[in-house]
């Protein structure tokens, strides 16, 4: 995290930044954005970069195995519209991640979502490829008690293990037809393993929000460590 040394603590996201996102939904055009790009840089991109670096520093002090890269960890606001029917050029939210290397391509991340009316933190594994799912499923079948210990730890922290509605196999995955009656049968069909915690605009406006993100990192660690542990058998 050498590049992060010069970043100050998270200052909070001011109302100007949140208002910008709300107005962008109604004015998703290049001319409108171009005239307000400096406002976007100052009121959203800069504080988001400070946020991920601040959280990474705090996590490092606690020995939590997540970090951030101020260049890679904050997602671009520009949409990739090359192959999309939706030609709106900009995302109407700000997003950022923390991962083991700071790369958004890592498996197992904490995600920060800033969108008026839909602020939340999330953690876990999203749309895992089959190469990652295979050893994870083997681990679930061979040691189901360990899977449910992880799930219970999340429950104790007020987090519910979920998947996305469109990210679940209709039948059992290949090689697991004989596990239909297993206690983990339902979870073998999942491709994503996620927890989510809503936050408020008031939280985002204060420097204390960096601590709220660290709390989510700490509470979601049972899930992250469970998923990472299957890599050893990959």
């Amino acid at each position: 995290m050498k590049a992060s040394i010069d970043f100050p603590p998270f200052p909070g996201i001011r109302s100007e930044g949140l208002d910008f996102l709300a107005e962008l939904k109604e004015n998703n055009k290049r001319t409108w954005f171009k005239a307000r790009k400096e406002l976007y840089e100052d009121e959203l991109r800069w504080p988001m970069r400070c946020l991920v670096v601040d959280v990474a520093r705090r996590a490092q002090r606690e020995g939590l195995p997540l970090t951030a890269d101020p260049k890679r960890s904050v997602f671009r606001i520009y949409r990739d519209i090359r192959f999309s029917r939706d030609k709106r050029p900009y995302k109407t939210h700000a997003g950022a991640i923390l991962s083991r290397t700071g790369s958004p391509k890592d498996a197992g991340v904490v995600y920060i979502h800033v969108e008026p009316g839909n602020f939340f933190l999330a953690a876990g594994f999203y749309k895992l490829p089959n190469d990652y799912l295979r050893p994870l499923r083997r681990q679930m079948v061979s040691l189901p008690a360990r899977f449910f210990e992880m799930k219970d730890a999340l429950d104790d922290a007020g987090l519910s293990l979920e998947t996305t509605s469109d990210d679940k196999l209709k039948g059992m995955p290949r090689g697991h037809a004989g596990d239909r009656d297993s206690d983990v049968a339902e979870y073998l069909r999942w491709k994503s393993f996620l927890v989510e915690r809503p936050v408020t605009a008031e939280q985002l406006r204060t420097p204390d929000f960096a601590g709220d993100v660290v709390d989510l990192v700490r509470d979601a660690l049972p899930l992250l460590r469970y998923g990472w542990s299957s890599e050893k058998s990959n």
Side-chain angles (χ1 to χ4, degrees), residues 69-175:
D69 181 323
K71 292 183 178 179
R72 296 184 295 168
S73 296
V74 178
F75 292 112
R76 288 162 49 88
I77 198 169
Y78 306 99
R79 296 182 64 245
D80 185 352
I81 60 175
R82 291 173 297 173
F83 308 107
S84 174
R85 292 182 180 180
D86 183 352
K87 298 301 181 183
R88 289 176 296 177
Y90 306 107
K91 301 170 187 174
T92 54
H93 64 272
I97 63 98
L98 290 99
S99 68
R100 285 177 290 177
T101 68
S103 169
K105 296 181 180 180
D106 283 0
V109 303
V110 165
Y111 172 67
I112 304 161
H113 187 89
V114 178
E115 179 180 14
N118 187 31
F119 305 110
F120 66 87
L121 302 174
F125 300 81
Y126 181 64
K127 293 189 180 297
L128 288 171
N130 287 331
D131 287 348
Y132 206 100
L133 283 167
R134 279 191 287 270
L136 181 60
R137 287 167 174 158
R138 289 196 298 267
Q139 177 175 270
M140 292 163 64
V141 170
S142 63
L143 294 168
R146 186 165 169 241
F147 175 83
F148 287 108
E149 286 173 5
M150 174 272 292
K151 189 173 180 298
D152 289 344
L154 297 176
D155 290 340
D156 290 343
L159 298 171
S160 176
L161 184 63
E162 299 177 351
T163 191
T164 57
S165 58
D166 62 344
D167 207 13
K168 186 187 299 186
L169 296 176
K170 293 181 179 179
M172 296 298 289
R174 180 178 298 180

